[in-house]
Amino acid sequence: MSSGGYAGALEGSTDATGLRFAIVSSRFNSYVTERLVAGARACLLDHGARGEDVEVFSVPGAWELPLAARQLAAQGFDGIVAIGCVIRGDTPHFEYVAGAATNGLAQVQMESGVPIGFGLLTTENNEQALARAGGREGNKGWESALAALEMVHFTRRVGAHAHA
């Protein structure tokens, strides 16, 4: 599979057959996150995952995503898709929550070795959020699931390549 990559470059497959995925989603701004979850789930199923191999988990907000992802990474999932939506307000709360969730998810991914698709929207307003949740900007839930899927295969191939 190539999407404009370098000739001969090692890339991950997008075949989800036989893989288990966790989708963990924030309930805050659920009118957005529910659409992102639907996109992520559809992506995995469209790429061969069985319905029972895609489990959806819910947490209160984006702040809780890293802890949930850490717990799920320890449960043997092949990949995780983290879904959330933080919309800028009039206080610095946006930066704290978005930054902490982003850094926390990166840390979990690096420490566990389990790929995490980053489906955390950080937008200025509701219109931007909805545009990225199945609107004119596509569905970032779908895109983050596809990235997680590709990275599952990538990490396995690089690991096998290093031990060959």
Side-chain angles (χ1 to χ4, degrees):
M1 74 146 266
S2 179
S3 58
Y6 298 102
L10 179 66
E11 294 182 5
S13 168
T14 57
D15 181 7
T17 305
L19 299 176
R20 287 183 61 232
F21 281 87
I23 300 172
V24 59
S25 177
S26 163
R27 289 188 306 272
F28 198 79
N29 292 323
S30 63
Y31 64 96
V32 175
T33 60
E34 288 171 0
R35 296 170 190 219
L36 296 169
V37 168
R41 184 169 168 71
C43 174
L44 295 169
L45 296 177
D46 286 356
H47 284 86
R50 297 180 313 162
E52 59 267 25
D53 290 335
V54 180
E55 294 185 53
V56 178
F57 300 86
S58 176
V59 297
W63 177 262
E64 291 80 19
L65 288 171
L67 178 59
R70 181 177 174 208
Q71 296 293 315
L72 293 168
Q75 297 301 312
F77 287 97
D78 297 297
I80 298 169
V81 183
I83 301 289
C85 178
V86 184
I87 299 173
R88 185 178 303 278
D90 294 331
T91 69
H93 182 75
F94 171 90
E95 284 84 7
Y96 298 132
V97 172
T102 299
N103 292 335
L105 290 169
Q107 182 179 351
V108 170
Q109 180 175 245
M110 296 303 292
E111 290 176 359
S112 69
V114 176
I116 299 177
F118 188 71
L120 175 62
L121 297 184
T122 54
T123 65
E124 295 293 324
N125 54 49
N126 291 333
E127 181 183 326
Q128 287 179 352
L130 290 170
R132 291 165 176 76
R136 70 180 179 279
E137 300 284 331
N139 188 305
K140 301 305 179 185
W142 175 286
E143 293 175 19
S144 59
L146 190 60
L149 173 55
E150 185 174 343
M151 288 306 295
V152 167
H153 288 290
F154 180 89
T155 57
R156 290 178 177 184
R157 287 183 64 198
V158 168
H161 185 70
H163 294 92

